[in-house]
Every structure is written in structure tokens, then in C-alpha cells.
Amino acid sequence: NCNHPTGALVDHRAGRVITIEGADPFFERLESLVSAQGGCQRPNPRSVELLVSSAKKCLARPEFRIQLDELIGDELRHIDHEIVAGASQPMGAWSNDLFISAVARYEAQTEVLARIFGVMGRYGTGGEFRDALDAITKLGFREPAGGYNVLTNIRTYPAVLLLYAYGLGLLKAQRLADLFKLFSTAINTGRDQAHTVASHLLLTRGEGTENDPWKLLPSLDKRKTALSDHLHELFEGWTVDYLFMKGEYTSLFEHFELLGTLAYITLSNSK
């Protein structure tokens, strides 16, 4: 009502009046969006570069093994805390923004460790394999929780990011035996049926992907391979620490997914 002082102010400021059902649901929704936005902030690029450089130095010097372990441990605790903190789901009706915010939040919190894992795969000599594998398999399973299934299931997304990060580094270094070992390692899902990393985390093998929620991400609604396309775009920036020639990234990424698919087929059949 523009005759009301508030209405006049809105009109003067070129604002827009929105209709809400009530104050409580509105402010609960607003609080959840503000919290998600805060969690989606990417780490300072300079901090990322410094931590990745530290990881490279630790890999080059065996006497720095403990420092590397502590670096990985700090980032793992950070990711694990973020998953626990995000376990409480917002009240109210479903919105695609909830999924989009969750994806962005997990990516922001995982970027540092994912880039370190890429460096470990590329420049490691095998001693780091067990640490990387433990992180991926442990983050790859979460206890069941209530709420929207798509938000519950995406809690294993950091494990998918670390799988791609370490696997791409292994492939760049041509450590193919370690790559197959990574794909074929058993992962505990709390169920009787045995699962491997390839059968549980690769592409759309994860739980809750039957209706392909990745198409909810911006510009991916018509893509047949929405998750793969999104990861391809994401890791183009996360592999700059060891890929230095323009044009080699896409081939490496496609090669990784092809080998993962072949590993899955191999492990799923007796012949």
C-alpha cells in the first residue's frame, strides 16, 4: 500500500514487496540461506596456494612426513565438522536452493584437501596412498539421518571430490596400479552387500542419484551427464598445481572416468 509510509519508502527506494506466510517461517528460511551463504565462501586463494606448496615440500622431504600427516588431519577435521554441522536440515518446504547451497558449501570446505590430494597423487611415491585411501573411504560413508534424502545422501560428496582429486593425480603420474587399487578398495556402507570405491562413489553410483539431482545445478538441467560435466568444470581449476600445458586437462579427465568405468565393470563381473 503506497499510501502507507512504509509503502512510500519501498516505492522511493525502488524496492519490491514480497508476500510471506508468516514471520517465523520467513526468518527461519532467511537464517538458513544466510548460514549457507557464509559456509559457501571459498578459502582465501593465497591460503590455498600456501597450503598446497607446503604439501609439495613435505612430499619432497621424507622427514616432513609428520607435518604432512598433520596438514591432512587438520583439513579432514575441518571437512568432517562441516558435514556434522550441516546434518541439521532446514525447516520448511523443499527448494532447489537447498541442494545448490549444500553442493557449494561442501566444495568450498573440500577444496584445500582436494588440491593437496591431487599433488599427492601426482608427486607421491606410494607412502601417501594409505592416508588418501583412508580419508576417501571414511568420508564415503555416513550414518543414516532424517530429512530430505538428497541432502542426506550428498554428505558423501567430499569423498567423491577427494576420489577425483587423488585419482587424477595418480593418472597424470601414470601410477595405474595404484589407480586400480583405489577403484577396487572395499568401502564399508553399513550393509551386507559389498561395495568398492568405484561402485559406491564413481559418478552416479552414489545413493540418492536415481533422479539425478545434479541437474538442479545452474545450466545443467538439460545435460545427460550433469555430475560429470560439473566435476569437469570444477577440477579444471583444482588441477592447476600439477597440470601446466593447456589442452591436456579434458583428455586426462575423460581418461580417468573411462578407467573408473572399466574398473567398475571388471569388479562387477566374474568373467
Side-chain angles (χ1 to χ4, degrees), residues 6-248:
T6 302
L9 179 62
V10 169
D11 187 58
H12 176 70
R13 296 293 188 183
R16 188 175 68 176
V17 177
I18 61 173
T19 303
I20 62 175
E21 297 179 358
D24 288 343
F26 172 75
F27 282 109
E28 287 175 0
R29 172 66 174 155
L30 181 62
E31 191 278 333
S32 68
L33 289 175
V34 171
S35 298
Q37 180 64 27
C40 291
Q41 299 300 317
R42 293 183 65 243
N44 187 310
R46 291 184 178 179
S47 298
V48 176
E49 298 296 336
L50 178 61
L51 290 170
V52 172
S53 296
S54 297
K56 287 182 177 179
K57 292 180 180 178
C58 290
L59 280 170
R61 304 280 294 274
E63 61 268 29
F64 290 159
R65 179 184 59 82
I66 294 178
Q67 286 87 336
L68 179 61
D69 188 60
E70 290 176 342
L71 178 59
I72 294 171
D74 287 343
E75 291 303 318
L76 274 176
R77 280 189 290 270
H78 184 67
I79 295 170
D80 192 55
H81 178 269
E82 177 63 24
I83 294 172
V84 173
S88 56
Q89 299 196 15
M91 304 292 291
W94 167 259
S95 167
N96 292 350
D97 290 339
L98 297 177
F99 179 75
I100 295 171
S101 296
V103 170
R105 183 175 69 250
Y106 287 140
E107 289 173 354
Q109 302 301 332
T110 309
E111 179 182 358
V112 172
L113 189 58
R115 289 177 61 173
I116 290 174
F117 270 33
V119 167
M120 287 165 54
R122 173 63 181 92
Y123 299 114
T125 57
E128 83 297 333
F129 183 85
R130 178 51 56 185
D131 289 336
L133 189 62
D134 284 348
I136 293 169
T137 55
K138 288 177 180 176
L139 289 176
F141 171 71
R142 290 283 148 180
E143 293 290 344
Y148 295 113
N149 286 338
V150 67
L151 296 182
T152 299
N153 293 327
I154 201 179
R155 291 179 301 159
T156 59
Y157 184 45
V160 175
L161 296 175
L162 295 181
L163 166 63
Y164 269 72
Y166 190 54
L168 286 167
L170 290 175
L171 182 57
K172 173 60 180 177
Q174 287 294 292
R175 297 170 58 187
L176 299 181
D178 282 339
L179 182 59
F180 182 74
K181 186 177 179 181
L182 173 64
F183 284 135
S184 59
T185 296
I187 185 169
N188 176 24
T189 61
R191 300 177 181 177
D192 295 335
Q193 184 179 1
H195 284 277
T196 62
V197 168
S199 68
H200 185 62
L201 295 175
L202 186 67
L203 292 174
T204 55
R205 294 301 306 168
E207 295 179 321
T209 59
E210 295 82 2
N211 298 318
D212 201 357
W214 300 99
K215 290 185 176 182
L216 299 176
L217 296 180
S219 304
L220 295 180
D221 56 312
K222 300 186 185 305
R223 301 287 184 91
K224 293 183 179 180
T225 55
L227 175 57
S228 177
D229 292 349
H230 176 66
L231 292 174
H232 175 267
E233 180 180 356
L234 180 69
F235 275 93
E236 187 169 14
W238 286 9
T239 53
V240 296
D241 306 300
Y242 59 88
L243 292 183
F244 310 114
M245 294 182 60
K246 187 176 180 180
E248 67 174 319

